[in-house]
Amino acid sequence: MSLVTPDFGLLFWMVLIFGIVLFILWKFGFPIITDMVEQRAGRIENSLRLAREAEEKMHALAQEQDRLVEEARKQQATMLKEATESRKEILEQAKAEAREEADKILAAARTEIAAEKESALREVRAQVAELSIGIAEKVLRKEMEDPAAAERFVQQLTEEI
Amino acid sequence: MRWLARITVFLLALLLWPGVSAAASGEQENLVLAAQSDTAGELDMDEYLYGHVGDAYGWHITTVNGHHVTVHLPVIVRSKETGWHVFSSKHIEEGEEYEGFRIAAKGEPHEGKLVEDTPGGVLKPLDISITKNVFGLMVNSFVVVLLVLLGARWYRKHNAVEEAPHGFAGVVEMLVTMIEDDIIKVCVGPDYKRYSPYLLTAFFFIFINNLMGIVPFFPGGANITGNIAITLTLAVCTFLAVNLFGNKHYFKEIFWPDVPAFLKIIPLMPLIEIIGMFTKPFSLMIRLFANILAGHMMLLGVVAVVFLTAEMGVGLNAGMSVIAVLFGVFMDILELLVAFLQAYVFTMLSSVFIGLSRQVAEKE
């Protein structure tokens, strides 16, 4: 058998067999695999796109969150500042008010004390006057018991006048 | 390295054993050669080589103690005078005649083929026997179909959009996508889908046949893709795929190419182009055929060293056998590469030729 002359019988069978193989694989073999692979490739591509989109969205969300946190922090700071200020103000005000009140009370107390003192002094003065009159009365009575002394006294008084 | 040494020792022992036993029993018998050669013990290189790479009516597997172990295959012939004959190849072994048919002996016309002795002389009947190559082709084609259909079955049972196959179907998918993505899509161009089943079939067909050709025992070892009838059919398929669906631009390039007019009036360029139409598939045919045939020849030659040196003493034979086995391992591994490579190259060039026939004219 020569190697380079195709044998008819083998050629016949080859055409038949290869034809059948080709038909079967064309019909039931490769298109199923390639179509499915293609579909999967499409799906993977789609999934990748979605993932990328989701990532972008996540990124945007994260940024938004950061922004919100930053804003909240700022707000907190201003609020704290305001609170400190208002506290200071209130304290100042309270202090001023308290001082005023205290002044008022002091003033009232002072006037009262002055009035009390006046009245007390007046009373003391009246009492002292009464006492001195009493003493003077008693001294006089004692002096007048002796007519000579009384006489002398009257004399003295008249002289003095 | 230890396992390598062990293997070498084992192979050495194995190779020495038949020689030793033959020497002990005093009979000179050779495993492969006795079947091939009339003069026992001597190697008829031609018959050994061509017997292995060529076709045969029966599939001789081995010879055990002088008995041939052969798979008998059906002989189907149509005689011009007596019509169809179907019989087993065991009737025509060893040059016997059966129903008027016999295998033409060495030196006769149609050597090695079935001929019919008629009163009018020796005639060659229409012969569509299931020969060794046809049988091997059937087995290998069955393997190809099984391989791809088993791979495809996974896709029917699973939601392939959601998950990727593992194991066997994964291997098939890997090969399919490799060929489709790397070759077909790139070389054929936008309407690759129309051609991809043919190209994939060609790839798997050639690849499996190449691989089965390397398997040294039945039902492998038939030299299918190293047979010109096989590669001729494949090349014709590519030729048809190229020329039946070629577009206007492709045929214009052949019959009225963009060259100076005098090259077309004396139709030099069209002639060259038309010859080119045929040389492209012709090169495909020869490339595959020659590569695979040469691979088989090389392997057979390397193995033959063992038997050729059998007469030259145990020491030389043992040494050469080790070298032959190591070289044979190397060749086998090389053939694995070639098996893949040739299938790949055939598919790629077919894709390129198809792609050329589908090209659209460039806008200037």
Side-chain angles (χ1 to χ4, degrees), chain A residues 74-129:
Chain A
K74 237 180 251 170
Q75 220 159 3
Q76 188 194 26
T78 40
M79 273 168 83
L80 272 175
K81 211 165 141 197
E82 266 169 31
T84 326
E85 260 164 34
S86 67
R87 189 186 62 159
K88 223 186 256 170
E89 210 170 295
I90 287 167
L91 267 175
E92 290 288 316
Q93 211 174 336
K95 257 187 216 161
E97 255 168 47
R99 204 173 291 133
E100 219 168 286
E101 193 75 9
D103 282 353
K104 236 186 245 168
I105 289 167
L106 270 176
R110 222 169 263 143
T111 35
E112 207 166 315
I113 286 167
E116 287 286 319
K117 201 169 140 191
E118 195 71 19
S119 79
L121 274 176
R122 211 178 293 135
E123 215 168 296
V124 167
R125 229 176 260 144
Q127 230 155 359
V128 167

Side-chain angles (χ1 to χ4, degrees), chain A residues 24-148:
Chain A
I24 292 173
L25 295 187
W26 200 308
K27 203 90 182 150
F28 311 106
F30 292 121
I32 292 164
I33 298 177
T34 49
D35 283 357
M36 279 299 188
V37 168
E38 199 167 313
Q39 277 180 33
R40 194 191 308 138
R43 191 185 145 76
I44 289 169
E45 210 167 299
N46 205 28
S47 302
L48 279 175
R49 194 173 50 75
L50 284 178
R52 202 161 42 233
E53 277 175 15
E55 201 183 357
E56 268 164 28
K57 220 173 269 175
M58 281 282 292
H59 198 67
L61 273 177
Q63 269 181 339
E64 174 74 13
Q65 200 182 19
D66 280 355
R67 202 182 58 76
L68 281 177
V69 167
E70 192 60 32
E71 207 166 286
R73 198 167 290 144
K74 237 180 251 170
Q75 220 159 3
Q76 188 194 26
T78 40
M79 273 168 83
L80 272 175
K81 211 165 141 197
E82 266 169 31
T84 326
E85 260 164 34
S86 67
R87 189 186 62 159
K88 223 186 256 170
E89 210 170 295
I90 287 167
L91 267 175
E92 290 288 316
Q93 211 174 336
K95 257 187 216 161
E97 255 168 47
R99 204 173 291 133
E100 219 168 286
E101 193 75 9
D103 282 353
K104 236 186 245 168
I105 289 167
L106 270 176
R110 222 169 263 143
T111 35
E112 207 166 315
I113 286 167
E116 287 286 319
K117 201 169 140 191
E118 195 71 19
S119 79
L121 274 176
R122 211 178 293 135
E123 215 168 296
V124 167
R125 229 176 260 144
Q127 230 155 359
V128 167
E130 219 168 296
L131 273 174
S132 26
I133 290 170
I135 290 165
E137 198 181 65
K138 273 177 187 161
V139 169
L140 277 180
R141 207 171 284 148
K142 191 111 187 214
E143 298 251 327
M144 292 313 149
E145 273 173 10
D146 182 12

Side-chain angles (χ1 to χ4, degrees), chain B residues 8 23 48 120 137 166 171 208 263 285 289 305 323 326 363:
Chain B
T8 318
Y48 165 72
L137 187 64
H166 302 282
V171 173
I208 295 301
L263 285 172
M285 172 178 84
F289 159 71
V305 168
I323 292 171
L326 291 178
K363 295 274 179 291

Side-chain angles (χ1 to χ4, degrees), chain A residues 1-44 47, chain B residues 50 55 111-113 126-130 134 137-138 141 148-149 152 155-156 160-163 165 173 176-177 180 192-194 197-198 200-201 204-205 227-230 233-234 237 289:
Chain A
M1 286 184 199
S2 173
L3 285 174
V4 287
T5 41
D7 178 62
F8 173 76
L10 186 54
L11 207 57
F12 166 78
W13 285 109
M14 172 60 187
V15 170
L16 188 71
I17 291 168
F18 188 70
I20 292 168
V21 170
L22 187 59
F23 174 77
I24 292 173
L25 295 187
W26 200 308
K27 203 90 182 150
F28 311 106
F30 292 121
I32 292 164
I33 298 177
T34 49
D35 283 357
M36 279 299 188
V37 168
E38 199 167 313
Q39 277 180 33
R40 194 191 308 138
R43 191 185 145 76
I44 289 169
S47 302
Chain B
Y50 290 107
D55 210 346
E111 179 192 330
K113 292 275 176 201
L126 181 72
D127 185 355
I128 52 165
S129 305
I130 311 284
V134 174
L137 187 64
M138 285 173 170
S141 301
V148 177
L149 290 192
Y155 295 87
R156 292 186 208 275
V161 177
E162 296 294 339
E163 50 179 327
E173 185 189 301
V176 169
T177 47
E180 173 143 300
Y192 70 92
K193 274 208 161 148
R194 202 163 160 200
Y198 163 64
L200 284 166
T201 306
F204 276 85
F205 187 84
N227 189 298
I228 195 104
I230 307 296
T233 312
L234 291 166
C237 285
F289 159 71

